Amino acid sequence: MASVTLPDGSKREYEGPVTVAQVAASIGAGLAKAALAGRVDGKLVDLSHVIDGDAAVAIITARDPEGLEIIRHSTAHLMAQAVKELFPEAQVTIGPAIENGFYYDFSYTRAFTPEDLKAIEARMDELVKKNIPIVREEMPREEAIDFFKALGEHYKAEIISSIPAGEVISLYRQGDFVDLCRGPHVPSTGCLKVHHLMKVAGAYWRGDSKNEMLQRIYGTAWATKDEQKAYLEMLAEAEKRDHRRLGRELDLFHLQDEAPGMVFWHAKGWALWQVIEQFMRRVYQDNGYEEVKAPQLLDRSLWERSGHWAKYRDNMFTTESENRYYALKPMNCPGHIQIFNSKLRSYRDLPLRIGEFGQCHRNESSGSLHGLMRVRGFTQDDGHIFCTEDQILAECEAFTALVQKVYKTFGFTDIAYKVATRPAMRIGEDAVWDKAEHALMASLDALGIKYEVLVGEGAFYGPKIEYHLKDCLGRSWQCGTVQVDFQMPGRLGAEYVAEDNSRKIPVMLHRAILGSLERWIGMLIEEFAGAFPVWLAPIQCAVTSITDNQGAYAKDVAAKLHAAGLRVQTDLRSEKINYKIRELSLQKLPYILVVGEKEAQTGTVSVRARGGENLGVMSLDAFIERISTENRERTR
């Protein structure tokens, strides 16, 4: 007798053992056709899974997030089957589902080509049409190792050898192709109609650079063709907005091999940087922060006491001088504690808010570097709040409100809040972690903010709130953060005089609003496709003359714009005006001012807005008022 409880609370009774597929069929033919897998007592299982007692059961379809993940994982197997049929000597390794798709790593004697990808995708389509059943099998460990060795799949044999004793070894068979996997999978290849192979990249076996370089084929898979079309169109738009390409085209910055992961900022890019930094500096001043500057290089002993040396050593750049070992700071917090420690503090001084545009260096692997988004040298709008336990909640609430205000100024209002809790590798007692995690969650609860809990993803010294933004393409970016730290101040000797004249250790809140300024600027470039609003634009307007005769007037207009606090450039070349306007338009400037003989005589300017809109002729004062208002109000 099997009793099944469905998600709506209804129950179904079966006289004997029943599969998940049979449960779906008993509910309705439509559900049976749409079913991909099931959830039994909270565990995802195949449709063939047998229920032989009381259980809570849900049928998983492509409409469920788990269903889409199962489609993608199954499509990774489909791709591996196609590769093995076309390239029998290729060895399969690992092929998981990832966000928006999947990948599979292969060991093969030559590089896969774009033509190979087309052939693989065509073979995948053939396998889909055959609607091959996908069947789960279990096999004893040693038998499974011998099985894959006999197939020449030595990577699979190695994976099985590393699986802890006692765990079930499950295989999935589809036709002649057999793969090691926990599952679950869709019932047949016919469920995998919508897929597309994207690219090939290199990947070390098990992520270790000492191991063989494998070939990773990336693909995407969706429940419907419309969803895949929308995704591919989004990727095409994202390619147009790629900050690395726009950085070159708009003369903002560049990167080169002689300084991997470091940015060469050009004049226009640095102008954009300065606008953002000065804006954030004002945010500091208006919200009670003291701006400071700590050294780049600190003695190893300080990093040992802070805990970074033991937990973070591999990501730190080090050097030696006069038999002393130093490290470039990967973060600003130990330096700020030294500033706190520079004199005796009282409870009356708390909360003490310290901010710095602190340059940090982290030894990221070369394979992870990506334009401005992942660099080795970066600057954070970093700050630390030293406070008492009683002040944590109010400070966290105030900080979240400040984050919302700043993001709104840049045009972002879609914020996702995530609380990252204690990791396995951490310092401090669980009771202290309980306090810290409770404080963060309580601060969001007090503001009525819904949040997701990221179990185990906090820093080694404390939990944190992460602030994730969605851009115009729906992509998510993790930017700001606030962390509650009961550990590091005590490790580095920070203390204050309490009301009862005792010495107490302050709580330290690590916080950043934008995060890495490099990453923030990269995100802004892609959000605006390089067409920045007036207040952010490196060059806010250009003045160009129709003929050489208006050169003096054009210079006079530019000087008045500059005197009004605007960023302006001139184009006085002896070129045709249409050619100059076209070239200036490619720079995505908010405004182009054209001056000819008529404008010079009347003291006016002919104004063109970005996108080719002709605003007509207006007085220079009227234009200055218009652009200054946009600049002052920071309109998007």
Side-chain angles (χ1 to χ4, degrees):
M1 188 75 176
S3 177
V4 168
T5 303
L6 299 175
D8 63 2
S10 63
K11 291 182 181 291
R12 288 179 177 263
E13 306 290 338
Y14 303 89
E15 291 184 358
V18 63
T19 65
V20 174
Q22 289 171 329
V23 172
S26 72
I27 297 171
L31 182 61
K33 185 177 180 180
L36 298 176
R39 189 189 302 109
V40 176
D41 292 332
K43 181 182 177 182
L44 288 174
V45 297
D46 299 296
L47 288 179
S48 60
H49 178 84
V50 176
I51 304 163
D52 55 8
D54 295 349
V57 178
I59 306 301
I60 303 299
T61 71
R63 294 181 179 181
D64 300 301
E66 302 97 328
L68 190 53
E69 184 172 351
I70 291 168
I71 286 173
R72 288 169 176 164
H73 193 181
S74 298
T75 307
H77 283 224
L78 179 72
M79 179 178 70
Q81 181 181 7
V83 169
K84 288 294 293 183
E85 290 187 2
L86 293 171
F87 309 97
E89 294 180 0
Q91 290 191 61
V92 295
T93 64
I94 296 173
I98 56 175
E99 184 179 10
N100 298 320
F102 59 90
Y103 69 77
Y104 216 120
D105 290 345
F106 300 93
S107 174
Y108 190 50
T109 53
R110 67 167 177 81
F112 289 120
T113 66
E115 289 70 27
D116 291 334
L117 292 193
K118 291 178 183 178
I120 294 167
E121 191 164 340
R123 181 59 60 91
M124 291 169 68
D125 290 336
E126 293 174 11
L127 295 171
V128 168
K129 290 177 182 177
K130 291 181 179 180
N131 198 26
I132 303 167
I134 300 174
V135 182
R136 177 186 170 93
E137 303 174 2
E138 294 183 2
M139 190 177 289
R141 172 191 296 272
E142 296 305 319
E143 185 179 336
I145 292 173
D146 292 340
F147 174 79
F148 280 104
K149 283 183 177 179
L151 293 176
E153 299 290 355
H154 300 291
Y155 288 94
K156 289 294 180 185
E158 182 181 331
I159 293 170
I160 296 170
S161 298
S162 68
I163 296 174
E167 283 198 21
V168 173
I169 307 299
S170 57
L171 314 179
Y172 281 82
R173 183 184 298 273
Q174 49 198 66
D176 295 330
F177 177 71
V178 182
D179 204 353
L180 171 73
C181 191
R182 288 191 179 93
H185 284 282
V186 298
S188 68
T189 59
C191 301
L192 308 173
K193 295 182 176 68
V194 185
H195 55 259
H196 179 63
L197 300 188
M198 308 293 292
K199 63 178 181 178
V200 181
Y204 291 110
W205 169 236
R206 294 192 181 276
D208 189 337
S209 60
K210 296 177 184 177
N211 292 335
E212 179 190 353
M213 174 68 80
L214 304 172
Q215 296 186 69
R216 176 170 293 177
I217 300 180
Y218 284 95
T220 189
W222 297 84
T224 68
K225 290 183 178 181
D226 286 344
E227 289 174 321
Q228 179 165 283
K229 180 182 177 183
Y231 173 69
L232 295 176
E233 288 175 350
M234 184 276 287
L235 288 184
E237 180 63 25
E239 176 63 26
K240 295 177 187 176
R241 295 168 177 265
D242 190 303
H243 73 281
R244 295 165 297 180
R245 179 176 63 82
L246 289 171
R248 293 189 301 271
E249 292 178 0
L250 301 179
D251 196 22
L252 301 175
F253 69 91
H254 82 274
L255 302 108
Q256 63 187 62
D257 289 341
E258 287 79 2
M262 313 288 182
V263 184
F264 292 83
W265 288 102
H266 300 187
K268 291 179 181 177
W270 195 242
L272 172 59
W273 177 295
Q274 286 298 315
V275 170
I276 295 170
E277 182 176 315
Q278 294 306 322
F279 169 72
M280 291 307 300
R281 178 164 283 118
R282 187 71 196 187
V283 169
Y284 279 178
Q285 294 167 356
D286 291 345
N287 289 275
Y289 286 83
E290 298 177 0
E291 188 179 340
V292 300
K293 192 71 174 174
Q296 289 289 103
L297 210 60
L298 294 168
D299 191 278
R300 168 179 168 171
S301 62
L302 184 65
W303 299 111
E304 289 175 336
R305 298 203 321 270
S306 70
H308 289 93
W309 194 262
K311 307 289 183 182
Y312 210 74
R313 165 69 184 86
D314 291 343
N315 293 92
M316 297 169 72
F317 289 102
T318 59
T319 188
E320 178 185 358
S321 176
E322 297 180 343
N323 296 318
R324 291 182 67 179
Y325 292 90
Y326 301 88
L328 277 171
K329 63 177 180 180
M331 49 199 66
N332 300 296
C333 29
H336 288 186
I337 294 177
Q338 305 317 301
I339 293 172
F340 181 90
N341 291 349
S342 64
K343 64 181 181 179
L344 186 62
R345 308 284 180 174
S346 162
Y347 70 93
R348 294 187 179 88
D349 299 322
L350 306 183
L352 177 64
R353 305 181 187 96
I354 290 176
E356 177 181 3
F357 297 98
Q359 189 172 8
C360 300
H361 291 81
R362 296 180 185 175
N363 191 16
E364 306 284 0
S365 66
S366 58
S368 69
L369 301 177
H370 178 73
L372 299 179
M373 304 305 191
R374 192 70 175 262
V375 292
R376 286 175 171 165
F378 60 95
T379 298
Q380 289 181 309
D381 66 319
D382 208 359
H384 294 89
I385 302 170
F386 297 89
C387 63
T388 67
E389 282 191 40
D390 293 340
Q391 294 168 336
I392 295 174
L393 185 60
E395 288 298 313
C396 288
E397 285 183 37
F399 180 69
T400 294
L402 180 59
V403 166
Q404 294 171 332
K405 183 178 179 181
V406 169
Y407 289 171
K408 186 176 182 181
T409 301
F410 284 95
F412 298 103
T413 55
D414 191 349
I415 308 172
Y417 303 83
K418 303 183 182 184
V419 178
T421 60
R422 69 197 75 185
M425 295 286 288
R426 59 182 183 268
I427 56 178
E429 301 296 326
D430 282 345
V432 174
W433 279 85
D434 289 341
K435 287 183 186 177
E437 291 171 359
H438 173 74
L440 291 178
M441 295 180 190
S443 72
L444 294 176
D445 290 337
L447 294 169
I449 293 173
K450 294 181 179 179
Y451 54 88
E452 177 185 352
V453 177
L454 305 177
V455 177
E457 295 189 23
F460 71 87
Y461 49 80
K464 59 183 176 178
I465 298 174
E466 297 176 355
Y467 303 89
H468 294 249
L469 296 181
K470 271 197 176 178
D471 67 11
C472 61
L473 296 181
R475 299 173 300 181
S476 181
W477 303 92
Q478 196 260 301
C479 299
T481 182
V482 60
Q483 303 170 341
V484 179
D485 185 357
F486 282 86
Q487 311 300 331
M488 200 179 301
R491 293 173 72 98
L492 296 182
E495 59 183 19
Y496 67 94
V497 179
E499 274 188 273
D500 60 3
N501 286 324
S502 64
R503 298 295 178 94
K504 290 189 176 180
I505 298 171
V507 179
M508 185 180 189
L509 306 183
H510 307 247
R511 46 106 294 173
I513 299 177
L514 307 183
S516 158
L517 265 66
E518 285 80 359
R519 191 165 185 262
W520 181 261
I521 290 174
M523 187 184 74
L524 289 182
I525 292 171
E526 298 195 358
E527 168 71 8
F528 295 113
F532 300 105
V534 166
W535 79 278
L536 287 172
I539 302 297
Q540 296 169 314
C541 60
V543 183
T544 185
S545 55
I546 294 177
T547 70
D548 292 342
N549 293 335
Q550 295 89 47
Y553 178 61
K555 289 179 181 179
D556 183 54
V557 168
K560 289 179 179 177
L561 291 167
H562 179 75
L566 300 168
R567 298 181 293 279
V568 59
Q569 72 179 45
T570 56
D571 185 348
L572 307 179
R573 293 175 298 166
S574 298
E575 300 282 357
K576 291 183 177 179
I577 189 61
N578 288 339
Y579 174 79
K580 291 197 288 184
I581 290 173
R582 186 165 56 250
E583 279 209 332
L584 291 170
S585 297
L586 292 175
Q587 296 182 36
K588 304 191 177 188
L589 307 178
Y591 292 104
I592 299 171
L593 306 186
V594 180
V595 294
E597 192 61 35
K598 182 179 178 181
E599 286 80 11
Q601 291 177 355
T602 58
T604 57
V605 290
S606 179
V607 182
R608 290 172 179 263
R610 185 166 43 215
E613 182 183 4
N614 189 344
L615 300 181
V617 176
M618 62 180 73
S619 71
L620 181 57
D621 287 343
F623 174 74
I624 289 176
E625 177 60 28
R626 176 193 178 102
I627 191 173
S628 296
T629 299
E630 289 184 57
N631 193 36
R632 182 173 59 254
E633 295 180 354
R634 301 191 178 99
T635 55
R636 184 180 170 100

